[in-house]
Amino acid sequence: MIARYAHAVLCTLGDLVEDVVVWLHEPINYGTDTPARIVRRRGGSAANVAAFAAAARGTSRFVGQVGDDDTGERLLAGLRAGGVDTVVTRGGRTGTIAVVVDPTGERTMLTDRGAATELEQLPPGALDGIQVLHVPSYSLTDEPLALTARAAIEAARDRGILVSIDASSTTLLRSFGTAGFRLLIDALRPDVFFCNREEHRELGLALDEPMPGSTLTVVKAGGDPTVVITAAGAKSIPVPPVEHILDTTGAGDAFAAGFLLAWMQGTAPDAAAIDAHRLAARVLLSPGAGLT
């Protein structure tokens, strides 16, 4: 059971898009039909983290640019109905991500981010009253959103707001350039840096090596232990087994939400990782980025 995290606002900056989740009943039969279940869900890493935080009875805010269209209005209404405060700019076309989930639960994403990358400046009041600003690396690589996100991190620092960054994707790291990305994170100096084992390796880091510039590095590894790395060293936190995994979409975002909600209340990092595992496990049992 996730505790209630009152009076601590977690703010996320980045994408709110529509996920079209294609849940395959068998491997793709190329050139012909393949049975599947198709569902439409809210997507976007930043929006997911905010939604999961609210679902875990925390207080959260989403900041970003959302298309000035019916899809954007529906997605925003869904966030608000779930308890998320939204501070957004409207304009352009809401993005869509096609998520193909194979029978093992592994996912492949085809991305069209639409208006999400077009945020040129923070909306008024975006950082007011928050304790943590969480920025997926998707928000740090495409302009003009990247420039806006970096400015937001600097503004957060000036206000004494804690900052977390998620590596987000090995493909993103390769396209941006791992050397340049390491320099960027070293310059931004986040309080928490999230990545999975593949991203950690892509960045050229040894198993227990922290991300340069980050105070706390959290390395996820699916069902294998999560490694929490601080100045005092590294701790391995076992992951409780989850039977009948349906879909891994959003599990990393739920982990970030669960971890940050606990950590921003003063919970030790290893204990925060346990809360994070509990929340992520709920996502693994539903199609798309939702909670059972």
Side-chain angles (χ1 to χ4, degrees):
M1 181 70 176
I2 304 294
R4 178 167 182 81
Y5 302 96
H7 310 303
V9 181
L10 169 60
C11 177
T12 68
L13 172 61
D15 294 10
L16 172 61
V17 298
E18 182 177 51
D19 277 359
V20 179
V21 185
V22 181
W23 181 22
L24 298 173
H25 297 319
E26 60 187 52
I28 292 177
N29 301 310
Y30 291 96
T32 186
D33 296 335
T34 302
R37 177 187 175 196
I38 300 175
V39 297
R40 294 178 180 271
R41 296 266 185 147
R42 173 211 68 249
S45 181
N48 287 343
V49 173
F52 291 140
R57 306 180 68 191
T59 305
S60 65
R61 175 181 299 155
F62 167 77
V63 176
Q65 179 155 327
V66 182
D68 189 15
D69 50 27
D70 290 343
T71 300
E73 189 61 39
R74 174 171 52 81
L75 293 172
L76 282 170
L79 279 184
R80 293 166 183 152
V84 178
D85 178 30
T86 61
V87 180
V88 300
T89 298
R90 300 296 301 275
R93 172 183 54 82
T94 301
T96 302
I97 298 178
V99 184
V100 181
V101 185
D102 72 20
T104 71
E106 191 53 72
R107 71 197 190 285
T108 300
M109 294 178 287
L110 309 175
T111 60
D112 174 3
R113 297 173 65 194
T117 65
E118 298 169 9
L119 184 67
E120 295 184 347
Q121 60 184 6
L122 283 182
L127 301 182
D128 292 350
I130 70 170
Q131 280 68 52
V132 174
L133 173 64
H134 176 71
V135 182
S137 290
Y138 294 118
S139 300
L140 295 172
T141 56
D142 290 338
E143 303 295 354
L145 173 60
L147 185 61
T148 304
R150 295 173 201 178
I153 290 172
E154 292 177 5
R157 286 282 182 225
D158 291 342
R159 296 189 185 198
I161 296 167
L162 299 168
V163 174
S164 71
I165 294 175
D166 196 310
S168 298
S169 162
T170 54
T171 299
L172 178 151
L173 298 177
R174 290 167 190 157
S175 61
F176 188 84
T178 54
F181 186 83
R182 286 180 58 138
L183 289 173
L184 174 62
I185 300 304
D186 196 31
L188 294 175
R189 307 194 70 79
D191 297 281
V192 182
F193 182 79
F194 294 103
C195 60
N196 62 33
R197 183 180 292 170
E198 291 75 22
E199 294 156 355
H200 195 249
R201 288 171 179 162
E202 186 68 29
L203 290 165
L205 300 170
L207 180 61
D208 295 340
E209 185 179 359
M211 183 66 186
S214 177
T215 304
L216 169 63
T217 300
V218 181
V219 185
K220 302 162 290 179
D224 292 332
T226 294
V227 180
V228 177
I229 310 169
T230 66
K235 287 187 177 181
S236 293
I237 313 300
V239 179
V242 178
E243 295 184 3
H244 308 301
I245 293 174
L246 184 61
D247 185 354
T248 60
T249 304
D253 297 327
F255 180 96
F259 186 96
L260 291 172
L261 286 176
W263 174 75
M264 64 200 283
Q265 292 286 337
T267 303
D270 50 345
I274 294 172
D275 260 19
H277 290 151
R278 289 174 183 151
L279 191 58
R282 293 171 58 189
V283 177
L284 296 172
L285 300 177
S286 64
L291 290 175
T292 57

Short mmCIF file of all heavy atoms in Angstrom, two decimals, residues 146-197:
data_model
loop_
_atom_site.label_atom_id
_atom_site.label_comp_id
_atom_site.label_asym_id
_atom_site.label_seq_id
_atom_site.Cartn_x
_atom_site.Cartn_y
_atom_site.Cartn_z
N ALA A 146 13.86 21.61 -25.46
CA ALA A 146 15.10 21.36 -24.72
C ALA A 146 15.62 22.62 -24.05
O ALA A 146 16.04 22.61 -22.88
CB ALA A 146 16.15 20.77 -25.65
N LEU A 147 15.61 23.74 -24.78
CA LEU A 147 16.08 25.01 -24.21
C LEU A 147 15.18 25.43 -23.06
O LEU A 147 15.66 25.91 -22.01
CB LEU A 147 16.10 26.08 -25.30
CG LEU A 147 16.68 27.44 -24.89
CD1 LEU A 147 18.13 27.30 -24.46
CD2 LEU A 147 16.56 28.43 -26.05
N THR A 148 13.88 25.24 -23.22
CA THR A 148 12.92 25.58 -22.16
C THR A 148 13.14 24.71 -20.93
O THR A 148 13.10 25.21 -19.79
CB THR A 148 11.49 25.41 -22.68
OG1 THR A 148 11.32 26.21 -23.85
CG2 THR A 148 10.47 25.82 -21.63
N ALA A 149 13.38 23.41 -21.14
CA ALA A 149 13.58 22.50 -20.01
C ALA A 149 14.86 22.84 -19.25
O ALA A 149 14.89 22.81 -18.01
CB ALA A 149 13.62 21.06 -20.51
N ARG A 150 15.91 23.17 -19.97
CA ARG A 150 17.16 23.52 -19.30
C ARG A 150 17.00 24.81 -18.50
O ARG A 150 17.51 24.92 -17.38
CB ARG A 150 18.28 23.65 -20.33
CG ARG A 150 18.61 22.34 -21.02
CD ARG A 150 19.60 22.52 -22.16
NE ARG A 150 19.51 21.39 -23.09
CZ ARG A 150 20.21 21.28 -24.19
NH1 ARG A 150 21.07 22.22 -24.53
NH2 ARG A 150 20.07 20.22 -24.97
N ALA A 151 16.27 25.77 -19.06
CA ALA A 151 16.00 27.00 -18.33
C ALA A 151 15.15 26.72 -17.09
O ALA A 151 15.35 27.35 -16.04
CB ALA A 151 15.30 28.01 -19.25
N ALA A 152 14.21 25.80 -17.21
CA ALA A 152 13.37 25.44 -16.07
C ALA A 152 14.20 24.82 -14.95
O ALA A 152 13.98 25.10 -13.76
CB ALA A 152 12.28 24.47 -16.51
N ILE A 153 15.16 23.98 -15.32
CA ILE A 153 16.03 23.37 -14.31
C ILE A 153 16.86 24.43 -13.61
O ILE A 153 17.01 24.42 -12.37
CB ILE A 153 16.93 22.30 -14.96
CG1 ILE A 153 16.07 21.09 -15.37
CG2 ILE A 153 18.04 21.86 -14.01
CD1 ILE A 153 16.80 20.06 -16.19
N GLU A 154 17.38 25.39 -14.35
CA GLU A 154 18.15 26.48 -13.74
C GLU A 154 17.27 27.30 -12.81
O GLU A 154 17.68 27.68 -11.70
CB GLU A 154 18.75 27.36 -14.83
CG GLU A 154 19.83 26.67 -15.65
CD GLU A 154 20.37 27.56 -16.76
OE1 GLU A 154 19.95 28.74 -16.82
OE2 GLU A 154 21.18 27.07 -17.56
N ALA A 155 16.04 27.60 -13.25
CA ALA A 155 15.12 28.36 -12.41
C ALA A 155 14.75 27.58 -11.15
O ALA A 155 14.63 28.15 -10.06
CB ALA A 155 13.85 28.69 -13.20
N ALA A 156 14.58 26.26 -11.29
CA ALA A 156 14.28 25.43 -10.14
C ALA A 156 15.43 25.47 -9.13
O ALA A 156 15.21 25.59 -7.92
CB ALA A 156 14.01 23.99 -10.59
N ARG A 157 16.64 25.38 -9.63
CA ARG A 157 17.81 25.46 -8.76
C ARG A 157 17.82 26.77 -7.98
O ARG A 157 18.10 26.80 -6.78
CB ARG A 157 19.08 25.35 -9.60
CG ARG A 157 19.37 23.96 -10.11
CD ARG A 157 19.96 23.16 -9.00
NE ARG A 157 20.30 21.83 -9.44
CZ ARG A 157 20.02 20.75 -8.75
NH1 ARG A 157 19.38 20.85 -7.61
NH2 ARG A 157 20.38 19.57 -9.18
N ASP A 158 17.53 27.87 -8.66
CA ASP A 158 17.53 29.19 -8.01
C ASP A 158 16.50 29.27 -6.90
O ASP A 158 16.66 30.02 -5.94
CB ASP A 158 17.26 30.29 -9.04
CG ASP A 158 18.41 30.48 -10.02
OD1 ASP A 158 19.53 30.03 -9.70
OD2 ASP A 158 18.18 31.08 -11.09
N ARG A 159 15.42 28.47 -7.02
CA ARG A 159 14.36 28.47 -6.02
C ARG A 159 14.55 27.41 -4.94
O ARG A 159 13.71 27.27 -4.04
CB ARG A 159 13.00 28.23 -6.69
CG ARG A 159 12.57 29.32 -7.66
CD ARG A 159 11.13 29.05 -8.08
NE ARG A 159 10.65 29.95 -9.09
CZ ARG A 159 9.35 30.14 -9.36
NH1 ARG A 159 8.44 29.48 -8.67
NH2 ARG A 159 8.98 30.98 -10.30
N GLY A 160 15.62 26.64 -5.02
CA GLY A 160 15.83 25.58 -4.05
C GLY A 160 14.99 24.35 -4.30
O GLY A 160 14.80 23.52 -3.40
N ILE A 161 14.48 24.20 -5.52
CA ILE A 161 13.67 23.04 -5.89
C ILE A 161 14.59 21.89 -6.29
O ILE A 161 15.56 22.09 -7.03
CB ILE A 161 12.72 23.40 -7.06
CG1 ILE A 161 11.72 24.47 -6.62
CG2 ILE A 161 12.01 22.18 -7.60
CD1 ILE A 161 10.96 25.12 -7.76
N LEU A 162 14.29 20.69 -5.84
CA LEU A 162 15.07 19.52 -6.21
C LEU A 162 14.76 19.12 -7.65
O LEU A 162 13.66 19.36 -8.15
CB LEU A 162 14.76 18.36 -5.27
CG LEU A 162 15.08 18.59 -3.79
CD1 LEU A 162 14.45 17.51 -2.92
CD2 LEU A 162 16.58 18.67 -3.56
N VAL A 163 15.73 18.50 -8.31
CA VAL A 163 15.61 18.16 -9.73
C VAL A 163 15.92 16.69 -9.94
O VAL A 163 16.90 16.17 -9.39
CB VAL A 163 16.56 19.01 -10.60
CG1 VAL A 163 16.54 18.54 -12.05
CG2 VAL A 163 16.18 20.49 -10.50
N SER A 164 15.07 16.01 -10.72
CA SER A 164 15.39 14.64 -11.14
C SER A 164 15.31 14.57 -12.66
O SER A 164 14.52 15.28 -13.29
CB SER A 164 14.44 13.62 -10.51
OG SER A 164 13.14 13.72 -11.04
N ILE A 165 16.15 13.72 -13.24
CA ILE A 165 16.20 13.51 -14.69
C ILE A 165 16.19 12.03 -14.95
O ILE A 165 16.85 11.25 -14.24
CB ILE A 165 17.47 14.16 -15.30
CG1 ILE A 165 17.41 15.69 -15.15
CG2 ILE A 165 17.63 13.78 -16.78
CD1 ILE A 165 18.67 16.40 -15.62
N ASP A 166 15.46 11.61 -15.98
CA ASP A 166 15.42 10.20 -16.39
C ASP A 166 16.10 10.07 -17.74
O ASP A 166 15.83 10.86 -18.66
CB ASP A 166 13.96 9.73 -16.50
CG ASP A 166 13.85 8.22 -16.55
OD1 ASP A 166 14.55 7.59 -17.37
OD2 ASP A 166 13.04 7.66 -15.79
N ALA A 167 16.98 9.08 -17.89
CA ALA A 167 17.69 8.87 -19.16
C ALA A 167 16.75 8.57 -20.31
O ALA A 167 17.05 8.87 -21.47
CB ALA A 167 18.73 7.76 -19.01
N SER A 168 15.64 7.92 -20.04
CA SER A 168 14.50 7.74 -20.97
C SER A 168 14.68 6.66 -22.02
O SER A 168 13.79 5.85 -22.22
CB SER A 168 14.13 9.06 -21.67
OG SER A 168 13.73 10.04 -20.74
N SER A 169 15.82 6.61 -22.74
CA SER A 169 15.88 5.73 -23.91
C SER A 169 17.31 5.57 -24.40
O SER A 169 18.03 6.56 -24.54
CB SER A 169 15.01 6.32 -25.03
OG SER A 169 15.33 5.78 -26.29
N THR A 170 17.71 4.33 -24.70
CA THR A 170 19.04 4.12 -25.29
C THR A 170 19.11 4.73 -26.68
O THR A 170 20.15 5.27 -27.08
CB THR A 170 19.39 2.62 -25.37
OG1 THR A 170 18.34 1.93 -26.05
CG2 THR A 170 19.57 2.03 -23.99
N THR A 171 18.02 4.68 -27.43
CA THR A 171 18.00 5.29 -28.76
C THR A 171 18.23 6.79 -28.66
O THR A 171 18.99 7.37 -29.45
CB THR A 171 16.66 5.01 -29.46
OG1 THR A 171 16.50 3.61 -29.61
CG2 THR A 171 16.61 5.67 -30.84
N LEU A 172 17.59 7.42 -27.69
CA LEU A 172 17.79 8.85 -27.47
C LEU A 172 19.25 9.14 -27.15
O LEU A 172 19.84 10.09 -27.68
CB LEU A 172 16.88 9.32 -26.34
CG LEU A 172 16.95 10.78 -25.90
CD1 LEU A 172 15.60 11.23 -25.37
CD2 LEU A 172 18.02 11.01 -24.83
N LEU A 173 19.85 8.34 -26.27
CA LEU A 173 21.25 8.57 -25.89
C LEU A 173 22.18 8.44 -27.09
O LEU A 173 23.11 9.25 -27.25
CB LEU A 173 21.66 7.57 -24.80
CG LEU A 173 20.89 7.66 -23.48
CD1 LEU A 173 21.36 6.56 -22.53
CD2 LEU A 173 21.05 9.02 -22.83
N ARG A 174 21.92 7.45 -27.93
CA ARG A 174 22.78 7.26 -29.11
C ARG A 174 22.64 8.40 -30.10
O ARG A 174 23.63 8.88 -30.66
CB ARG A 174 22.45 5.94 -29.78
CG ARG A 174 22.87 4.72 -28.98
CD ARG A 174 22.25 3.45 -29.54
NE ARG A 174 22.45 2.31 -28.64
CZ ARG A 174 21.69 1.23 -28.64
NH1 ARG A 174 20.66 1.13 -29.48
NH2 ARG A 174 21.94 0.25 -27.80
N SER A 175 21.40 8.84 -30.33
CA SER A 175 21.19 9.90 -31.31
C SER A 175 21.72 11.23 -30.80
O SER A 175 22.25 12.04 -31.58
CB SER A 175 19.70 10.01 -31.66
OG SER A 175 18.94 10.34 -30.52
N PHE A 176 21.61 11.48 -29.52
CA PHE A 176 22.14 12.72 -28.94
C PHE A 176 23.66 12.67 -28.85
O PHE A 176 24.33 13.69 -29.02
CB PHE A 176 21.54 12.95 -27.56
CG PHE A 176 21.86 14.28 -26.95
CD1 PHE A 176 21.10 15.39 -27.26
CD2 PHE A 176 22.92 14.42 -26.06
CE1 PHE A 176 21.38 16.63 -26.71
CE2 PHE A 176 23.21 15.65 -25.49
CZ PHE A 176 22.45 16.76 -25.82
N GLY A 177 24.18 11.46 -28.58
CA GLY A 177 25.62 11.28 -28.37
C GLY A 177 25.90 11.12 -26.89
O GLY A 177 25.61 12.02 -26.09
N THR A 178 26.42 9.96 -26.51
CA THR A 178 26.59 9.69 -25.08
C THR A 178 27.58 10.64 -24.41
O THR A 178 27.38 11.05 -23.27
CB THR A 178 27.04 8.23 -24.85
OG1 THR A 178 28.21 7.97 -25.62
CG2 THR A 178 25.95 7.26 -25.27
N ALA A 179 28.64 11.01 -25.12
CA ALA A 179 29.61 11.94 -24.52
C ALA A 179 28.96 13.29 -24.25
O ALA A 179 29.13 13.87 -23.16
CB ALA A 179 30.81 12.10 -25.45
N GLY A 180 28.21 13.79 -25.22
CA GLY A 180 27.53 15.06 -25.04
C GLY A 180 26.47 14.99 -23.95
O GLY A 180 26.28 15.95 -23.20
N PHE A 181 25.78 13.85 -23.87
CA PHE A 181 24.76 13.70 -22.84
C PHE A 181 25.38 13.68 -21.45
O PHE A 181 24.86 14.30 -20.52
CB PHE A 181 23.96 12.41 -23.08
CG PHE A 181 22.80 12.24 -22.15
CD1 PHE A 181 21.59 12.85 -22.42
CD2 PHE A 181 22.92 11.48 -20.99
CE1 PHE A 181 20.51 12.71 -21.56
CE2 PHE A 181 21.85 11.33 -20.12
CZ PHE A 181 20.64 11.95 -20.41
N ARG A 182 26.50 13.01 -21.30
CA ARG A 182 27.18 13.00 -20.00
C ARG A 182 27.59 14.40 -19.59
O ARG A 182 27.45 14.79 -18.43
CB ARG A 182 28.40 12.07 -20.06
CG ARG A 182 28.06 10.59 -20.06
CD ARG A 182 29.30 9.72 -20.11
NE ARG A 182 30.20 9.96 -19.00
CZ ARG A 182 30.84 9.02 -18.31
NH1 ARG A 182 30.64 7.75 -18.62
NH2 ARG A 182 31.64 9.32 -17.34
N LEU A 183 28.08 15.18 -20.54
CA LEU A 183 28.46 16.56 -20.24
C LEU A 183 27.24 17.38 -19.84
O LEU A 183 27.31 18.22 -18.93
CB LEU A 183 29.16 17.19 -21.45
CG LEU A 183 30.57 16.67 -21.77
CD1 LEU A 183 31.05 17.27 -23.09
CD2 LEU A 183 31.53 17.01 -20.63
N LEU A 184 26.12 17.15 -20.53
CA LEU A 184 24.90 17.88 -20.21
C LEU A 184 24.44 17.58 -18.80
O LEU A 184 24.11 18.51 -18.03
CB LEU A 184 23.80 17.49 -21.22
CG LEU A 184 22.41 18.05 -20.95
CD1 LEU A 184 22.42 19.57 -21.00
CD2 LEU A 184 21.40 17.48 -21.95
N ILE A 185 24.39 16.31 -18.42
CA ILE A 185 23.94 15.95 -17.07
C ILE A 185 24.91 16.47 -16.03
O ILE A 185 24.51 16.95 -14.95
CB ILE A 185 23.76 14.42 -16.94
CG1 ILE A 185 22.72 13.92 -17.94
CG2 ILE A 185 23.35 14.05 -15.51
CD1 ILE A 185 21.36 14.59 -17.83
N ASP A 186 26.19 16.43 -16.32
CA ASP A 186 27.19 16.95 -15.39
C ASP A 186 26.97 18.45 -15.16
O ASP A 186 27.17 18.95 -14.05
CB ASP A 186 28.59 16.69 -15.94
CG ASP A 186 29.67 16.85 -14.88
OD1 ASP A 186 29.39 16.59 -13.69
OD2 ASP A 186 30.80 17.25 -15.23
N ALA A 187 26.56 19.16 -16.22
CA ALA A 187 26.30 20.59 -16.09
C ALA A 187 24.99 20.88 -15.35
O ALA A 187 24.90 21.82 -14.56
CB ALA A 187 26.26 21.23 -17.47
N LEU A 188 23.95 20.04 -15.59
CA LEU A 188 22.65 20.26 -14.95
C LEU A 188 22.64 19.83 -13.50
O LEU A 188 21.83 20.31 -12.71
CB LEU A 188 21.56 19.52 -15.73
CG LEU A 188 21.31 20.03 -17.15
CD1 LEU A 188 20.29 19.14 -17.87
CD2 LEU A 188 20.83 21.48 -17.14
N ARG A 189 23.48 18.87 -13.14
CA ARG A 189 23.67 18.41 -11.77
C ARG A 189 22.35 18.05 -11.05
O ARG A 189 21.99 18.65 -10.03
CB ARG A 189 24.46 19.44 -10.94
CG ARG A 189 25.77 19.85 -11.60
CD ARG A 189 26.69 20.57 -10.66
NE ARG A 189 27.24 19.67 -9.66
CZ ARG A 189 28.24 18.81 -9.87
NH1 ARG A 189 28.80 18.71 -11.06
NH2 ARG A 189 28.66 18.04 -8.90
N PRO A 190 21.64 17.05 -11.55
CA PRO A 190 20.38 16.66 -10.91
C PRO A 190 20.61 16.02 -9.54
O PRO A 190 21.65 15.41 -9.28
CB PRO A 190 19.78 15.64 -11.89
CG PRO A 190 20.98 15.05 -12.56
CD PRO A 190 21.95 16.19 -12.71
N ASP A 191 19.61 16.15 -8.69
CA ASP A 191 19.67 15.48 -7.39
C ASP A 191 19.47 13.98 -7.55
O ASP A 191 20.02 13.18 -6.78
CB ASP A 191 18.60 16.06 -6.46
CG ASP A 191 18.84 17.54 -6.19
OD1 ASP A 191 19.69 17.85 -5.36
OD2 ASP A 191 18.18 18.37 -6.86
N VAL A 192 18.65 13.59 -8.53
CA VAL A 192 18.40 12.17 -8.81
C VAL A 192 18.51 11.96 -10.32
O VAL A 192 18.00 12.76 -11.11
CB VAL A 192 17.00 11.72 -8.34
CG1 VAL A 192 16.79 10.23 -8.62
CG2 VAL A 192 16.79 12.02 -6.87
N PHE A 193 19.18 10.88 -10.70
CA PHE A 193 19.25 10.48 -12.10
C PHE A 193 18.77 9.04 -12.21
O PHE A 193 19.33 8.14 -11.58
CB PHE A 193 20.68 10.58 -12.64
CG PHE A 193 20.82 10.22 -14.09
CD1 PHE A 193 20.46 11.13 -15.08
CD2 PHE A 193 21.30 8.97 -14.47
CE1 PHE A 193 20.57 10.79 -16.43
CE2 PHE A 193 21.42 8.63 -15.81
CZ PHE A 193 21.06 9.55 -16.79
N PHE A 194 17.69 8.83 -12.99
CA PHE A 194 17.15 7.50 -13.22
C PHE A 194 17.64 6.96 -14.56
O PHE A 194 17.71 7.70 -15.55
CB PHE A 194 15.61 7.53 -13.28
CG PHE A 194 14.94 7.90 -11.99
CD1 PHE A 194 14.42 9.18 -11.81
CD2 PHE A 194 14.79 6.98 -10.97
CE1 PHE A 194 13.77 9.53 -10.64
CE2 PHE A 194 14.15 7.32 -9.79
CZ PHE A 194 13.64 8.60 -9.63
N CYS A 195 17.94 5.68 -14.60
CA CYS A 195 18.23 5.01 -15.87
C CYS A 195 17.99 3.52 -15.67
O CYS A 195 17.87 3.04 -14.54
CB CYS A 195 19.67 5.27 -16.32
SG CYS A 195 20.94 4.71 -15.16
N ASN A 196 17.90 2.78 -16.78
CA ASN A 196 17.89 1.32 -16.65
C ASN A 196 19.28 0.79 -16.96
O ASN A 196 20.20 1.56 -17.29
CB ASN A 196 16.80 0.69 -17.53
CG ASN A 196 17.01 0.95 -19.01
OD1 ASN A 196 18.14 1.04 -19.49
ND2 ASN A 196 15.91 1.05 -19.76
N ARG A 197 19.44 -0.51 -16.82
CA ARG A 197 20.78 -1.09 -16.95
C ARG A 197 21.35 -0.85 -18.34
O ARG A 197 22.54 -0.54 -18.49
CB ARG A 197 20.72 -2.59 -16.66
CG ARG A 197 22.09 -3.27 -16.71
CD ARG A 197 21.97 -4.76 -16.40
NE ARG A 197 21.59 -4.99 -15.02
CZ ARG A 197 21.23 -6.18 -14.55
NH1 ARG A 197 21.18 -7.23 -15.37
NH2 ARG A 197 20.91 -6.33 -13.28
#
